Amino acid sequence: MADNSELFRNIVESIFNTWTALRLAVEHGMGGHRGKEIVLRLVDEVTNLVCKGDIGAEEIADFLIEFMDTEFHTECEDNSPDEVATVLWQFYQHCKAGNHNEINLELSKLPKCEVWLCKPLRPMNTQEEAMDSEDAVSSGQSSNIAVGELDPEWTQVKSKRRKERL
């Protein structure tokens, strides 16, 4: 069963890589600066939940909905937690039955996307961030907040400067 658990964990990770609502929640900082770490914890929790108990797709969906709300303050109005839960449940049934050919076939049908979840977390470079903040203040953008007083609950979004056309 340990092999099935590890196989299923990899499947969960692959499916979460294709889940747009989850990726957007992380990219938009809905889980704070440790969004990817939260998702990796979600991968482990879903793997344990499904592998340890006899649960159905509805229970998985309820868990995903609750997790997205609690950890990412995100409500998925697109029904995606239900869809993800159904796919996860189906894959787990294939794992239990040892249908590795079916697993490979179904995995090949998943949409191709950038693998964002497995990428190593980039450590924050505070000196670089401080310089960017100072540049924003000195470039004419007014701010009443000193560089070192940024609210840790907010994510600073920096715009990219467009190159001038010749």
Side-chain angles (χ1 to χ4, degrees), residues 74-93:
T74 301
E75 185 176 316
C76 300
E77 295 178 353
D78 63 352
N79 231 13
S80 61
D82 295 323
E83 294 172 15
V84 169
T86 300
V87 171
L88 289 171
W89 186 83
Q90 290 170 343
F91 269 109
Y92 185 68
Q93 298 309 308

Side-chain angles (χ1 to χ4, degrees), residues 18 20-21 25 32 73-74 90-91 105 114 116 155-156 163:
T18 65
T20 304
H73 312 289
T74 301
Q90 290 170 343
F91 269 109
L105 177 66
E114 177 187 352
W116 62 274
T155 302
Q156 182 179 3
K163 295 182 181 179

Side-chain angles (χ1 to χ4, degrees), residues 128-141 147 161:
E128 179 182 309
E129 290 172 357
M131 288 175 52
D132 287 344
S133 298
E134 289 172 6
D135 290 343
V137 171
S138 66
S139 68
Q141 296 176 356
V147 173
R161 296 181 185 173

Side-chain angles (χ1 to χ4, degrees), residues 12 18 22-23 31 36 39 44 56 94 128 136 149 152:
V12 172
T18 65
L22 181 62
R23 182 175 182 165
K36 283 188 182 179
V39 174
D44 290 336
H94 292 308
E128 179 182 309
E149 296 178 10

Side-chain angles (χ1 to χ4, degrees), residues 8 46 49-50 55-65 81 84-86 88-89 92:
F8 187 67
V46 166
L49 178 72
V50 174
I55 65 168
E58 288 179 15
E59 290 91 356
I60 299 169
D62 290 342
F63 180 80
L64 294 175
I65 291 167
V84 169
T86 300
L88 289 171
W89 186 83
Y92 185 68

